[in-house]
Every structure is written in structure tokens, then in C-alpha cells.
Amino acid sequence: MRTIGAAESRRRPAQRMTLEVGLLSNAADIKVIGVLGAGTMGAGIAQVALQSGYSVRLVDVTPEMVDKGRARIAAQLERAVEKGRIDKEAADDALDRLVVGTDQALLADADYIIEAVTEQLQVKLEVFAALDQVCRPGVILASNTSGLSITAMAGATRRPELVLGMHFFNPAPIMKLVEVVRGAHTSDAAMATAVDLARRLGKEPVIVEESPLFIVNRILCPMINEAIFALQEGVASAEDIDRAMVLGANHPIGPLALADLVGLDTLLFVLETLHQETGDPKYRPAPLLRKLVRAGRLGRKSGRGFFEYDS
């Protein structure tokens, strides 16, 4: 596991060309996966790729973010060893295939890119424009967005046919689903490569045409929102709403506890996006959700949301 900063990355010799320039990356030829964004999702995706035998280039904007991402991966691999899921040799080998740094030039030898930066369209547009300059022709640029426009991101590049969504779910090393999302210009070949890669990463892909929030969030978030409306209207207590859905619908966790896990600010952002994109009032966020977010009650990460949590 190595860290490369901006100066060192610029001094590196010409990059290894694993694919002929101009050719679309075939999943079988992908050896190096670049992950941009070392937060919870980016580090999780990087871990998945490492445990699947790929070399990974993990990049973020600051040394602190990079160090946190690397530490998170190392801790998760150590935990997997302790639980007997992998042996120590496999964990050490995975870390040896991880290179982290702050310079996007580090991604120049990647055969496939997965972007996992903050969920703001303007930021992603800037990122995709930069990746288009750094990455070889033929390399697919995938976004881990949970619902933003793939077509808009593709428009920031000169390779719109090679831009698609690859939405992993949190925690990425555990959750099996990946939504593979087609933008307006995404080619069939690029989609096939992404689907194949998802399977090679041990995931189960579903193909989605671009639409606000794709499949899971479009269905799940309104359900959570309706649970918040029920609580706001005094239909039942938070505990009983969650207990009813666990016992009556066989959900593994109640909708309000799930909201706390996701983060109430994140949930509000997702619902606002869906509401704005569709203009449909049925997606209007519950006023109680806005109230709790304004009060700083964001769920587990703040210690209090619909329920209280030990620090």
C-alpha cells in the first residue's frame, strides 16, 4: 500500500497501457480500478475491488481524506480476518495492491473509473471534465451517484457513450446490489462491460434507465417519508411504527430507524431531489423531517434522530 502525492505522480514514467488506446475497456481486461473519493462509499468500493483481486488507485482532494480512507479499508480487512472471512495473507495482498494519493494523475493508468465524491451535481460535472482529460480514451467513467443525472455528467466529457452510473449500496462490501444506470448516450457495450464488472466484483447488477433516484431510492425514500408523516400526524409512536413494519412487512429494520442510519439530512436531500426532478407533490418531504434536520438531529451520526444513540 503506497501513498503518492502530486509531485511524485507528475514524475512517474509513462503509464502502463493495459488496453489499446481508443478501445472500450472489456471487463476481462480490467486490472486497475480507479476510485475517486475516499469517503465511506469510495473506501467501501475500493475494498470490494481489492478483495476481488484488482489493483486500486484511490484518490481524494486532501491527504487527511486519503489517510482516513486507507485506514478504513485496513480496519475492515483486519475485521474480516478476525471473523474468518479471509485469511491474513489475502488481506495483506489486498493492501499491497492499494495505491492512494491526492493527484488525479494517479488515475491515468486505471482501466475503469468509479467516482464517489459528494452528491452535488456541479462538483460531479467538474470531476468528470477533469477525469476525461486524465483517463485514456476507451476507459469507462462510472458514477456512484444515488440519483443524479448520468446524462448531465456525460455532457461534461468527450466520451458520453462511456459514462454510466454504477450505484453501490452502503455498506458496499456487504450489500449485493449494484444499479447500473444508462444515460441518454451510454452505449450498449459500455453497459455490458459495467454489468460484467459488477458480477466480477461479487455483486448482483440490475439495469436501470436514467430516472430520478433510479429504483431503490425512488421506492424506499417515499416509504420512509410516509412513515415520518404517520409519526407527525400522531398515528403511532416511532417505536410502534417501526415494530409494525418489521413484524407486518418482514422488514429487517423499521423505516424510522433506517432513516436514522441513512442520515436525516441525506434523506431530505434525496427527497428534495426527487420532488424537484418530478414536480410530483407525492414526493414532498414531511415537515417533521425538515424540522429535525434544522435542529441538528441527523440520526446515528449525530447521536439523535427519531431515536437516541449512545455516542
Side-chain angles (χ1 to χ4, degrees):
M1 179 171 58
R2 297 184 294 122
T3 302
I4 294 181
E8 183 182 351
S9 65
R10 284 194 293 269
R11 290 197 300 269
R12 287 183 292 126
Q15 301 295 336
R16 176 181 60 83
M17 300 295 280
T18 60
L19 302 169
E20 292 183 30
V21 172
L23 294 181
L24 170 64
S25 306
N26 184 285
D29 298 323
I30 294 170
K31 308 299 180 186
V32 179
I33 294 178
V35 180
L36 188 62
T40 300
M41 287 306 301
I45 294 167
Q47 180 187 337
V48 169
L50 291 166
Q51 289 187 244
S52 299
Y54 294 92
S55 295
V56 173
R57 308 290 186 261
L58 180 61
V59 174
D60 212 317
V61 292
T62 68
E64 292 77 17
M65 289 296 296
V66 165
D67 289 344
K68 285 181 180 179
R70 179 176 57 186
R72 184 179 289 114
I73 293 169
Q76 290 300 317
L77 289 173
E78 183 178 352
R79 185 173 302 174
V81 171
E82 291 172 353
K83 293 187 175 182
R85 294 173 183 161
I86 60 174
D87 58 37
K88 189 174 187 306
E89 183 178 357
D92 291 342
D93 178 63
L95 285 176
D96 286 342
R97 284 182 273 103
L98 174 63
V99 180
V100 301
T102 57
D103 192 338
Q104 289 187 19
L106 188 63
L107 302 172
D109 71 340
D111 304 317
Y112 193 98
I113 299 292
I114 302 174
E115 166 274 315
V117 304
T118 185
E119 196 75 340
Q120 297 180 28
L121 183 57
Q122 186 56 44
V123 173
K124 290 183 184 291
L125 293 178
E126 294 170 3
V127 163
F128 272 79
L131 288 173
D132 190 46
Q133 297 292 325
V134 169
C135 298
R136 302 191 310 274
V139 172
I140 290 172
L141 307 181
S143 175
N144 183 56
T145 179
S146 60
L148 296 177
S149 173
I150 300 301
T151 301
M153 295 178 216
T157 76
R158 298 164 298 175
R159 62 181 87 192
E161 73 284 357
L162 300 182
V163 177
L164 50 82
M166 202 169 186
H167 179 214
F168 292 74
F169 288 76
N170 189 28
I174 296 174
M175 300 295 283
K176 297 293 289 184
L177 177 65
V178 172
E179 292 177 322
V180 180
V181 186
R182 185 197 304 270
H185 305 292
T186 311
S187 69
D188 291 342
M191 289 292 290
T193 296
V195 166
D196 190 2
L197 178 61
R199 291 184 176 130
R200 290 170 185 266
L201 292 173
K203 303 302 180 183
E204 293 290 340
V206 295
I207 295 175
V208 184
E209 296 297 326
E210 180 179 314
S211 63
L213 300 188
F214 312 142
I215 298 174
V216 174
N217 282 333
R218 180 169 179 171
I219 296 170
L220 181 63
C221 291
M223 183 202 73
I224 297 174
N225 195 42
E226 191 62 29
I228 299 171
F229 270 115
L231 178 63
Q232 176 182 304
E233 294 164 10
V235 173
S237 67
E239 291 79 6
D240 281 351
I241 289 171
D242 273 15
R243 194 154 61 99
M245 292 304 293
V246 169
L247 298 177
N250 202 29
H251 289 190
I253 184 175
L256 300 177
L258 180 57
D260 279 352
L261 180 62
V262 169
L264 302 193
D265 53 340
T266 301
L267 175 63
L268 178 59
F269 173 79
V270 169
L271 285 168
E272 287 177 331
T273 299
L274 187 55
H275 190 208
Q276 291 166 5
E277 286 286 327
T278 64
D280 193 327
K282 72 181 179 182
Y283 298 123
R284 176 177 66 93
L288 177 59
L289 176 60
R290 293 187 186 277
K291 181 179 180 180
L292 293 180
V293 171
R294 288 168 178 162
R297 291 174 54 174
L298 307 182
R300 284 184 176 271
K301 61 187 174 185
S302 68
R304 190 181 184 197
F306 293 106
F307 302 99
E308 294 187 4
Y309 304 89
D310 295 332
S311 58

